[in-house]
């Protein structure tokens, strides 16, 4: 290690590279590659959202603003929550952040630090344990169990993992990468565990709108919690409205936490551009049509993909209850970190290796199907053809 | 303290509210108030910068991007550094961040943590010690000395403060709030202190272009350092190009730190919107004219202000060598936290109380003169009239 690197903090040096970014960097410039590694679709942000931002920029809204977010956006977030969850929601519960990732970072900073433990069901999105570890807290993985009928979170195992230094449970449902979607009963049971020990829940329900059984959303902690429960929701505009590149998200939390969240925004990025927030207001107030269009398209991609890979005897997966990922294993291919790179070279398809998502994900690959049915059908065909090559058959 | 707040981490609870925001919230909606409390001017972002962002947005550049920043912007930052400092600069040294504040947060996370000390000359911008404290490190204030001829940093005092757990010196020059501007010799001496003990320097030269003696920039650590010195520069687009609301900044650091900085970006905000970065490229490549216009305007405001307040026997200040703040004291008014609020009520002028800038700033007020000469002349006249009211004369 160079002298310069030796001078850095151990937590910072220990922050792992994202296993997703590794394969992206490997395959970024391959001609004709179908990139299904990241958690984003192929649609640009809809025009009406961009137009709202452009109008604001042209009007000179380029100055510092409220650390908690502009009042219009906080009010729009409250209206959105009322529509979705059928309960009253006050704007004072909502805080605008510079991405869902920053919402997680701020929640972690507010809640955990050295000496604390956080329970994280895995497989999980790698940025969550990384953000917790950067606060000096310890991540306790609660491995979920795979079966073709579905992934399972063992609630007894979760409850048994609560110890004297446990401070929080991080729960992502629908889950990235597995598609596991907690039932209302499971959420009530998890909340009961948290209440019993005074734990915080960080609720990541970012994929809550991406369900394909006709219901308007997945079950939510909003269905079972009281306003003063120790729950912090972390959310983003990225997925519902194709705004991954914008870096705008939000926190929902009890208003009593308001000044602490405001200070943590102040001392990290000091707010979000007003003109980006105007786009976010447009997305919330006028975005249901676009979301329905996305859902129809992604639903069809999902159907094609499950049909194609489901017919392959060497491929194992559970149909995802929500979200837009297929998390699958290939018999005879346990080394998915290498397999991800090989599929770039050998099938011209970019997938994320399951190793990026914790030990429970090691034998799997994550495929994002939030793209056109044609490109997902083509990607599935490439994977099927790759499996059929005689040299690959075990 | 409510049960909910009792569940938060002590570092997060201890993060102080910004003393600047406090007075802003107090006076935000006063009719006719001249707001000189924040570190921003009255000009909106120039058109050519907004247009570059708007074109990018219209072209659909709304997807995830490089964590280190788009290559075009890193190359433009390198060109800018070469022009300014007259030395070769590689794009690999530059990392785009979601504000200068985030650059500071990332530098703090990379360099310091629990058990570490950081030396910070004060008065200083309050967000710096707050960001350091949020990492669990201890801020050691090095109080500077005021005299009408100028503020002084006692280099012997700085050297004597270095102890076994000292990890870094945070140096802001030209200084917000005092306007103190280190000479090349002072910078060489500070670098020698850091080298002797293996300390990092976090160099905040954000106001380096705001000098009014005809020179193109203030002295910089670039003038005295080698490329592999332990220096991390934190910088922003906010001031030079009136982009405070955009939340885009950058870090310059030895390339050996690249993967660590990339990971810290990944696990905090996961990058900066491409369309914002396109605006930043335009600012760097075509922004000298706008900067010259700003400098002429602010220079005139500075001249008027110094003439007006310099004529007041009860007002004491050192002429700022750089930056766009006047940091002044009023004889007989030591309680500037209250004075800031009173001036909102009694003079319709918004200033930041010196208490926000550390103990060494307690008796002072900060006035931002980055506004039109007319409004600064009017603000000065209001302060002079306020001083002249018989009830105020001691």
């Amino acid at each position: 290690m160079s002298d310069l690197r030796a001078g850095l903090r151990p937590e910072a040096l220990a922050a792992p590279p994202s296993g997703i970014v590794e394969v992206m960097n490997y395959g970024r410039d391959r001609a004709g590659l179908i990139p299904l590694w990241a958690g984003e679709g192929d649609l640009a942000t809809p025009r009406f959202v961009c137009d709202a931002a452009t109008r604001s920029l042209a009007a000179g809204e380029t100055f510092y603003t409220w650390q908690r977010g502009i009042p219009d956006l906080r009010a729009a977030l409250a209206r959105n929550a009322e529509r979705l969850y059928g309960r009253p929601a006050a704007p004072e519960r909502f805080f605008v952040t510079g991405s869902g990732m920053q919402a997680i970072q701020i929640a972690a900073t507010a809640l955990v630090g050295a000496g604390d433990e956080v329970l994280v069901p895995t497989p999980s999105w790698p940025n969550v344990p990384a953000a917790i570890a950067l606060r000096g807290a310890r991540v306790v993985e609660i491995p979920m169990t795979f079966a073709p009928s579905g992934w399972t979170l063992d609630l007894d195992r979760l409850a048994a993992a609560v110890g004297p230094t446990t401070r929080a449970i991080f729960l992502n449902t629908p889950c990235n990468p597995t598609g596991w979607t907690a039932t209302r009963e499971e959420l009530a049971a998890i909340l009961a565990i948290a209440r019993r020990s005074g734990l915080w829940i960080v609720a990541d329900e970012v994929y809550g709108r991406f369900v394909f059984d006709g219901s308007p959303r997945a079950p939510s902690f909003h269905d079972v919690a009281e306003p003063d429960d120790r729950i912090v929701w972390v959310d983003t505009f990225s997925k519902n409205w194709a705004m991954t590149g914008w870096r705008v998200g939000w926190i929902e939390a009890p208003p009593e936490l308001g000044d602490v969240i405001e200070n943590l925004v102040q001392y990290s990025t000091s707010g979000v551009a007003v003109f980006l927030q105007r786009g976010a207001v447009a997305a919330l107030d006028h975005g249901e049509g676009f979301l329905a269009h996305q859902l129809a398209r992604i639903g069809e991609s999902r159907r094609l993909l499950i049909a194609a890979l489901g017919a392959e005897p060497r491929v194992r997966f559970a149909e995802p209850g929500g979200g837009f990922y297929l998390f699958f294993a290939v018999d005879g291919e346990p080394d998915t970190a290498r397999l991800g790179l090989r599929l770039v070279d050998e099938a011209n398809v970019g997938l994320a290796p399951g190793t990026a998502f914790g030990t429970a994900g090691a034998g799997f690959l994550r495929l994002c199907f939030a793209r056109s049915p044609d490109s997902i059908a083509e990607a599935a065909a490439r994977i099927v053809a790759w499996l059929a090559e005689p040299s690959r058959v075990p």
Side-chain angles (χ1 to χ4, degrees), chain A:
Chain A
M1 183 154 63
S2 78
D3 180 50
L4 277 166
R5 293 175 63 85
L8 302 180
R9 280 290 296 189
E11 304 92 323
L13 278 170
S18 163
I20 305 173
V21 170
E22 193 178 20
V23 64
M24 287 174 70
N25 287 341
Y26 182 74
R28 204 187 281 273
D29 297 323
R30 301 300 172 98
L33 179 135
I34 304 178
L36 310 174
W37 38 40
E40 73 180 349
D42 56 350
L43 298 177
T45 307
R47 179 71 179 275
F48 70 95
V49 174
C50 298
D51 286 350
T54 298
R55 279 194 302 272
S56 169
L57 197 49
E61 291 191 318
T62 59
F63 296 92
Y64 287 129
T65 187
W66 282 264
Q67 301 295 303
R68 301 185 191 205
I70 61 173
D72 279 358
L73 181 50
R74 301 180 74 197
L77 284 164
R79 286 194 299 276
N80 178 64
E82 292 191 345
R83 277 195 306 269
L84 270 180
Y85 307 114
R87 294 172 153 210
E92 290 68 34
R93 293 181 60 85
F94 295 89
F95 306 89
V96 180
T97 59
S99 71
M101 183 64 238
Q102 196 191 25
I104 292 170
Q105 188 200 35
I106 286 174
T109 305
L111 304 179
V112 304
D116 294 335
E117 289 186 349
V118 183
L119 309 184
V120 182
T122 60
S124 81
W125 185 45
N127 291 31
V128 169
I132 294 167
L134 272 168
R135 291 306 307 167
R138 198 169 87 82
V139 174
V140 177
E141 291 194 35
I142 311 294
M144 297 180 66
T145 311
F146 169 75
S149 57
W151 289 80
T152 310
L153 175 62
D154 182 337
L155 295 174
D156 292 335
R157 187 169 183 167
L158 181 73
V162 176
T165 59
T166 307
R167 299 265 303 164
I169 300 169
F170 187 98
L171 199 90
N172 171 217
T173 173
C175 174
N176 168 10
T178 61
W180 172 74
T181 301
T183 63
R184 186 182 166 125
E185 293 66 36
E186 286 171 316
L187 294 173
I190 293 164
L191 179 58
I193 293 169
R195 283 178 177 166
R196 199 181 310 142
S197 301
L199 307 183
W200 288 91
I201 291 171
V202 181
D204 173 352
E205 301 176 353
V206 162
Y207 297 96
R209 304 298 303 275
F210 291 91
V211 289
F212 302 95
D213 62 356
S215 50
R217 63 167 174 85
S220 164
F221 277 111
H222 290 97
D223 298 324
V224 295
E226 298 301 323
D228 60 350
D229 267 309
R230 289 187 168 189
I231 303 181
V232 175
W233 281 267
V234 292
D235 214 323
T236 179
F237 290 87
S238 290
K239 316 295 176 178
N240 293 356
W241 299 288
M243 293 168 69
T244 46
W246 288 52
R247 318 314 302 132
V248 187
W250 72 89
I251 286 172
E252 183 190 343
E256 289 88 337
L257 274 58
D259 62 332
V260 173
I261 293 171
E262 170 164 346
N263 290 336
L264 295 180
V265 170
Q266 173 73 244
Y267 302 129
S268 55
T269 50
S270 301
V272 173
V274 174
F275 53 92
L276 298 184
Q277 295 191 59
R278 299 285 182 210
V281 171
L284 288 168
D285 284 349
H286 307 292
E288 286 299 311
F290 177 79
L291 184 53
H293 168 64
Q294 270 213 93
L295 283 171
R297 199 163 172 265
I298 295 174
E300 174 64 5
S301 295
R302 178 180 179 277
R303 196 187 60 74
L304 292 170
L305 179 70
I306 288 175
L309 294 191
E312 288 298 313
R314 289 179 59 206
V315 173
R316 286 171 299 120
F317 59 85
E319 285 195 20
F324 47 53
Y325 304 102
L326 189 74
F327 202 54
F328 68 97
V330 179
D331 283 343
E333 295 285 357
D335 182 358
T336 56
R338 231 184 89 59
L339 184 58
L341 304 178
R342 282 174 54 209
L343 285 169
V344 168
D345 292 331
E346 298 170 5
N348 220 10
V349 172
L351 306 182
T355 43
F357 303 88
T359 43
F364 291 78
L365 292 159
R366 188 189 73 172
L367 183 157
C368 171
F369 55 78
R371 298 180 82 84
S372 74
D374 283 356
S375 71
I376 292 300
E378 169 64 19
R382 290 184 190 180
I383 294 168
V384 168
W386 179 87
L387 286 162
E389 280 184 44
S391 66
R392 321 250 182 257
V393 179

